[in-house]
Amino acid sequence: MITFSQLANRWELRPIRNCPGRFIIHNAPAELTPRSLLGSEAAIQTFKVNAARDTVLVARIEGGGLISYRRSDGKHLHTLNTDEGFERKLLDLGIMI
């Protein structure tokens, strides 16, 4: 299974302002899916929550987690999160995994 460190080393990360431990994967193509980022072994869960206008896709990985937002046009915005940032954002979104 892929880890936070492996993803952080593979992609250009931009810190999310006022969100310690959360990063946008800046150079990932919008067409890239969470499955393509994480591989076939990853357990990816899909949520539709009031706190986000887009569909939220979530996967826990070693060292943190991936939270991706799938827009209505099928494109994605991916955020890579440390353990702390991941838990805080899931709580903010009202997602329990």
Side-chain angles (χ1 to χ4, degrees), residues 35-97:
R35 176 73 53 214
S36 297
L37 269 172
L38 301 177
S40 60
E41 301 297 315
I44 301 169
Q45 297 180 37
T46 303
F47 299 91
K48 195 71 175 145
V49 297
N50 291 334
R53 68 173 177 219
D54 299 317
T55 301
V56 182
L57 297 103
V58 175
R60 187 177 300 281
I61 59 175
E62 183 183 322
L66 181 77
I67 301 174
S68 297
Y69 299 89
R70 183 174 58 219
R71 299 193 167 114
S72 59
D73 64 2
K75 294 182 180 178
H76 294 84
L77 172 72
H78 304 288
T79 66
L80 186 59
N81 307 270
T82 63
D83 283 322
E84 180 183 288
F86 186 63
E87 294 301 328
R88 192 178 59 253
K89 187 59 181 179
L90 290 181
L91 183 64
D92 182 51
L93 291 169
I95 294 174
M96 304 289 267
I97 60 169

